């Protein structure tokens, strides 16, 4: 019985086709495609069936060629890929990609296998690659040819955007390493990379520029860890499984190179490292540990890589504890509102307070919001906490009103997620109305990072204002988008981030910035509140600058509502 050989397909493409279209002309780009086709004919591929695929790609079915003929043709194309002659495209040289695979592979195992193979070649700038299927025994023949060989598996596991491994596969390999028993002697680390404030980079330079940065970073990590497993986890997050001993040095190189990729922004790539240990529960826990180490150095300029250590282990324990007890903490009232006074700058009189959440745990004592807010957000329970705080604040205000106090105001912090998890405007209105509290007594604080690019939130802010609540922008100035937000949203108060005051004594520019922000807000009819006031000098300066309200340790630390006597 005659054996029918699998059909072979060659994929020829011009990677910069659209650039040629845009910068020279569509006609020139199509002429280049025709030159490519002629080149294929010159290599002996003059039979078979052609079709245009995504405009810049030709698929050639090579079933008429005998096997050796097919291999020779692909070799020939691979060798010529970098030297296509195309006078029509002027100064832009077409970037040719030659791929090949069995037709069965193309059809059956991955959607868009051809597109994935091409995008892989584009990523690693490899002119020719061959996707070897199980049915083909030709691996050796390509070994010395300069043509990359990939297996179905490889392509299936590849992230087409970066050419790195997909996360699902990474976790399988990580789990494999954890399960191996000789791991103790092998010193394997899992690394977690993340770009600080990547969102701002996108906003400042465009999404295309953001993509370029990600591709660049992907390449830098892959080059720094050439013999290790490197994966693209999600947007700006990458992971490596490595047995390298000079991790710090490698990370420092990646960090520096990426900083200089865009000198105006100097993107900060941070890395957290976790050494695999025997008895580890899961691959995800290992990754969480590396991630925590990475997060712990966010915003620091003096350190690019941190290893998971005992201090972080404790923090990890607290996090998991918080995650497991979140629901209970809310229902059992372990969450309490603390109050920090807000004073009028002119008179120094207390005009209100900000409610700040505390978790008073029966087992481990008091936890700060920095520990439990992110965990509650992840668990989608944050709205319960925030409404709990609103409840306490309303009850407190009701008591104060009964005592004849009507001019006091309180502000509460809302998370961006609250708006997706409940009807915050409705919930808060009802709570106020049940206790007869005028909406004008309550202000809603939303951080600028929550507001960026969220149209839905804008509607919700308007609803709050229409319902008679004030809306305050929290942490103004610590993100990239503060000024843009002022353009798009209506606020009653700007809360100027306390970082501006930190170096005020030594840095004259901080003073100038704070004074200008206050002036600008005044012109826009927005009141100002500066947070984190700790010294008499800061207080005097703010009075002179015309700031409306102040808050900080100088006037009082956050204390339990009933004790704060506000
Ligand atoms: P925030 O809204 O910017 O709150 C101000 C933080 O600065 C508070 O930290 C406060 O204790 C601290 N602070 C106030 N004055 C000074 C000062 O003079 N010097 C210094 N160094 N710090 C000062 P806290 O209470 O740890 O809260 C941290 C963050 O957690 C808050 O930042 C807020 O974003 C979030 N948060 C707190 N309570 C809640 C809540 O009920 N709901 C939500 N969603 N977030 C909350
Ligand atoms: Ca706040
Ligand atoms: Ca703040």
């Amino acid at each position: 019985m005659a054996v029918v050989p699998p059909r072979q397909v060659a994929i020829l493409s011009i990677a910069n086709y659209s650039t040629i279209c845009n910068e020279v002309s569509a006609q020139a780009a199509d002429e280049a495609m025709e030159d490519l086709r002629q080149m294929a004919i010159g290599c002996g591929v003059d039979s078979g069936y052609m079709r245009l695929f995504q405009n810049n790609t030709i698929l050639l079915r090579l079933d008429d060629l005998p096997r050796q003929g097919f291999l020779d043709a692909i070799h020939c194309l691979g060798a010529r890929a970098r030297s296509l002659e195309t006078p029509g495209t002027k100064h832009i040289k077409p970037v040719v990609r030659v791929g090949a695979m069995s037709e069965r592979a193309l059809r059956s195992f991955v959607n868009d296998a051809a597109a994935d193979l091409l995008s892989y070649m584009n990523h690693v700038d490899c002119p020719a690659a061959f996707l070897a299927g199980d049915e083909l025994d030709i691996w050796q023949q390509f070994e010395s040819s300069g043509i990359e060989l990939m297996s179905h598996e490889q392509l299936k596991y590849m992230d087409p955007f970066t050419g790195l491994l997909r996360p699902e596969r990474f976790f399988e390999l990580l789990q494999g390493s954890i399960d191996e028993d000789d791991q103790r002697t092998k010193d394997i680390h899992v690394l977690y990379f993340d770009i600080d404030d990547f969102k701002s980079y996108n906003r400042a330079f465009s999404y295309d520029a953001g993509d370029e940065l990600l591709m660049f970073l992907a390449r830098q990590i892959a080059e720094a860890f050439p013999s290790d497993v490197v994966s693209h986890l999600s947007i700006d997050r990458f992971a490596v499984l490595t047995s390298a001993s000079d991790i710090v040095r490698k990370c420092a190189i990646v960090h520096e190179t990426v900083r200089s990729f865009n000198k105006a922004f100097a993107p900060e790539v941070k890395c957290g490292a976790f050494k695999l240990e025997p008895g580890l529960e899961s691959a995800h826990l290992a990754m969480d540990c590396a991630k925590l180490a990475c997060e712990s150095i966010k915003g620091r300029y003096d350190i690019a890589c941190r290893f998971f250590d005992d201090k972080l282990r404790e923090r990890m324990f607290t996090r998991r504890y918080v995650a497991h007890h979140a629901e209970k903490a809310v229902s059992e009232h372990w969450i309490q509102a603390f109050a920090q006074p807000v004073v009028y700058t002119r008179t120094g009189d207390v005009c209100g307070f900000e409610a700040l959440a505390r978790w008073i745990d029966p087992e481990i004592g008091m936890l700060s919001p920095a520990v439990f807010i992110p965990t509650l957000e992840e668990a989608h329970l944050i709205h319960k906490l925030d409404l709990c705080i609103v409840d306490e604040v309303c009850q407190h205000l009701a008591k104060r009103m009964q005592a004849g106090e009507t001019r006091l105001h309180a502000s509460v912090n809302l998370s961006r997620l609250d708006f997706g998890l409940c009807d915050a405007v409705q919930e808060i209105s009802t709570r106020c109305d049940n206790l007869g509290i005028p909406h004008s007594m309550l202000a809603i604080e939303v951080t600028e990072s929550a507001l960026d690019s969220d149209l839905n939130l804008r509607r919700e802010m308007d609803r709050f204002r229409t319902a008679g609540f004030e809306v305050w922008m929290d942490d103004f100035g610590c993100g990239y988008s503060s000024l843009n937000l002022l353009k798009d949203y209506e606020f009653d108060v700007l809360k100027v981030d306390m970082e501006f005051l930190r170096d005020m004594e030594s840095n004259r520019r901080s003073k100038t910035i704070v004074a200008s922000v206050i002036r600008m807000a005044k012109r826009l009819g927005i009141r100002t509140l500066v947070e984190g006031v700790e010294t008499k000098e800061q207080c005097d300066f703010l009075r002179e600058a015309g700031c409306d309200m102040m808050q900080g340790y100088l006037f009082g630390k956050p204390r339990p509502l009933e004790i704060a006597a506000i």
Side-chain angles (χ1 to χ4, degrees):
M1 200 175 69
V3 179
V4 182
R7 291 169 168 185
Q8 313 297 337
V9 185
I11 309 150
L12 303 180
S13 175
I14 294 183
N16 55 348
Y17 178 88
S18 59
T19 313
I20 298 172
C21 278
N22 294 338
E23 294 187 18
V24 186
S25 70
Q27 195 193 345
D30 286 331
E31 277 169 22
M33 289 301 294
E34 179 53 26
D35 292 340
L36 181 59
R37 198 177 76 91
Q38 291 302 330
M39 188 173 95
I41 292 171
C43 287
V45 190
D46 57 356
S47 63
Y49 153 92
M50 296 191 179
R51 94 186 146 97
L52 226 53
F53 166 79
Q54 287 177 353
N55 252 350
N56 66 339
T57 306
I58 310 171
L59 279 186
L60 300 166
R61 224 167 68 188
L62 303 170
D63 22 326
D64 292 354
L65 285 181
R67 195 169 112 145
Q68 191 53 50
F70 168 72
L71 295 178
D72 290 346
I74 296 300
H75 272 153
C76 173
L77 278 167
R80 292 200 194 168
R82 289 204 195 269
S83 55
L84 180 67
E85 290 299 329
T86 54
T89 61
K90 295 185 186 151
H91 58 286
I92 303 179
K93 189 173 162 42
V95 178
V96 173
R97 304 295 180 211
V98 178
M101 59 176 76
S102 75
E103 196 184 23
R104 174 135 50 107
L106 184 69
R107 288 232 176 109
S108 63
F109 83 102
V110 202
N111 287 343
D112 300 328
D116 280 358
L117 187 64
L118 288 172
S119 87
Y120 170 78
M121 287 190 276
N122 288 340
H123 174 68
V124 296
D125 193 23
C126 148
F130 187 88
L131 185 68
D134 304 333
E135 68 275 12
L136 293 170
D137 176 30
I138 52 171
W139 288 86
Q140 302 85 340
Q141 314 208 25
F142 278 90
E143 237 159 37
S144 56
S145 66
I147 294 181
E148 279 214 22
L149 268 182
M150 300 189 73
S151 65
H152 288 179
E153 293 273 283
Q154 262 175 302
L155 193 59
K156 192 163 71 189
Y157 292 137
M158 185 197 81
D159 164 40
F161 176 62
T162 57
L164 299 175
L165 215 58
R166 291 189 203 268
E168 305 81 12
R169 181 61 181 157
F170 184 84
F171 277 101
E172 280 171 24
L173 294 174
L174 177 55
Q175 190 62 53
S177 292
I178 290 171
D179 294 342
E180 274 175 32
D181 23 336
D182 60 341
Q183 161 208 129
R184 208 175 322 195
T185 53
K186 283 205 306 203
D187 270 359
I188 296 182
H189 284 83
V190 55
L191 310 182
Y192 180 96
F193 287 87
D194 188 9
I195 304 179
D196 278 6
D197 208 9
F198 178 62
K199 245 202 274 173
S200 297
Y201 189 89
N202 272 334
R203 202 166 315 107
F205 301 103
S206 84
Y207 282 97
D208 283 348
D211 282 355
E212 270 172 35
L213 173 62
L214 291 180
M215 299 283 261
F216 183 77
L217 173 58
R219 218 171 313 135
Q220 295 314 309
I221 297 176
E223 274 173 22
F225 297 91
S227 47
D228 297 314
V229 180
V230 183
S231 171
H232 182 213
L233 295 178
S234 60
I235 312 167
D236 60 335
R237 290 171 281 265
F238 295 82
V240 178
L241 189 61
T242 178
S243 49
S245 54
D246 53 349
I247 292 171
V248 174
R249 190 185 63 85
K250 286 172 184 289
C251 288
I253 295 171
V254 173
H255 178 254
E256 267 323 296
T257 329
V258 172
R259 268 179 69 85
S260 51
F261 177 74
N262 178 334
K263 295 213 168 69
F265 190 95
E268 281 282 317
V269 178
K270 295 293 158 57
C271 172
F274 174 74
K275 186 171 161 200
L276 298 191
E277 51 197 25
L280 198 68
E281 223 170 89
S282 71
H284 286 277
L285 179 59
M287 187 64 83
D288 283 350
C289 292
K291 182 175 173 211
L292 184 65
C294 178
E295 282 169 5
S296 73
I297 50 173
K298 241 185 183 15
R300 286 194 43 184
Y301 294 98
D302 55 336
I303 171 167
C305 172
R306 175 167 178 187
F307 285 74
F308 189 80
D309 55 19
D310 285 344
K311 222 168 148 188
L312 291 175
R313 195 176 295 278
E314 202 183 312
R315 208 184 289 176
M316 190 69 168
F317 169 80
T318 314
R319 266 197 181 192
R320 299 187 99 202
Y321 178 89
V322 164
H324 287 137
H325 294 79
E327 212 135 356
K328 196 163 177 192
V330 173
S331 65
E332 307 264 312
H333 295 284
W334 298 350
I335 306 280
Q336 277 189 24
F338 273 39
Q340 184 176 30
V342 174
V343 303
Y344 285 125
T345 311
R346 233 164 18 87
T347 60
D349 293 340
V350 173
C351 54
F353 63 89
E354 174 177 11
L356 293 157
R358 296 290 180 269
W359 173 316
I360 321 278
D361 194 273
E363 269 181 47
I364 51 179
M366 188 155 84
L367 295 174
S368 95
V371 176
F372 60 83
I373 301 262
T375 311
L376 287 172
E377 288 188 331
E378 263 170 42
H380 283 192
L381 288 169
I382 188 67
H383 60 303
K384 297 207 171 165
L385 169 128
D386 285 336
L387 292 176
C388 237
I389 299 290
V390 172
D391 274 332
E392 280 192 51
V393 167
C394 285
Q395 275 153 21
H396 183 75
L397 288 177
K399 267 193 234 153
R400 301 290 291 147
M401 277 169 64
Q402 272 166 12
E405 175 63 73
T406 53
R407 290 177 41 208
L408 206 61
H409 63 71
S411 62
V412 292
N413 294 282
L414 292 194
S415 155
R416 176 177 50 87
L417 298 184
D418 289 339
F419 299 96
L421 294 166
C422 67
D423 184 345
V425 183
Q426 183 64 49
E427 296 281 352
I428 295 176
S429 299
T430 310
R431 280 166 171 78
C432 288
D433 299 344
N434 287 345
L435 293 169
I437 294 160
H439 294 185
S440 57
M441 275 178 106
L442 199 64
I444 308 299
E445 292 193 15
V446 192
T447 59
E448 63 162 70
S449 61
L451 291 170
D452 56 20
S453 75
D454 196 329
L455 282 175
N456 180 42
L457 261 191
R458 184 168 171 173
R459 225 179 23 240
E460 294 296 303
M461 296 300 106
D462 288 344
R463 276 182 70 207
F464 265 121
R465 294 188 87 238
T466 311
F469 296 98
E470 292 210 335
V471 174
W472 294 9
M473 189 206 262
D474 204 358
D475 302 341
F476 179 81
C478 80
Y480 230 77
S481 51
S482 312
L483 289 175
N484 259 333
L485 289 173
L486 278 188
K487 191 161 59 73
D488 296 338
Y489 288 86
E490 296 222 32
F491 294 99
D492 299 284
V493 169
L494 273 194
K495 289 191 80 164
V496 179
D497 193 65
M498 62 181 81
E499 279 311 306
F500 283 107
L501 291 189
R502 290 289 84 88
D503 59 351
M504 205 186 79
E505 267 86 43
S506 57
N507 188 344
R508 281 190 52 80
R509 292 159 78 139
S510 286
K511 270 188 170 175
T512 313
I513 292 171
V514 173
S516 318
V517 166
I518 293 170
R519 254 199 322 273
M520 173 194 66
K522 264 209 165 70
R523 288 221 186 130
L524 292 169
I526 303 173
R527 281 142 47 227
T528 47
L529 189 167
V530 174
E531 301 187 86
V533 180
E534 292 181 355
T535 66
K536 173 101 180 27
E537 289 70 42
Q538 292 169 340
C539 178
D540 292 341
F541 162 72
L542 292 170
R543 188 170 298 122
E544 207 158 296
C547 165
D548 295 296
M549 293 174 282
M550 295 183 294
Q551 179 184 344
Y553 292 167
L554 185 63
F555 316 105
K557 291 194 171 178
R559 302 176 70 201
L561 259 182
E562 60 281 12
I563 303 175
I566 307 167

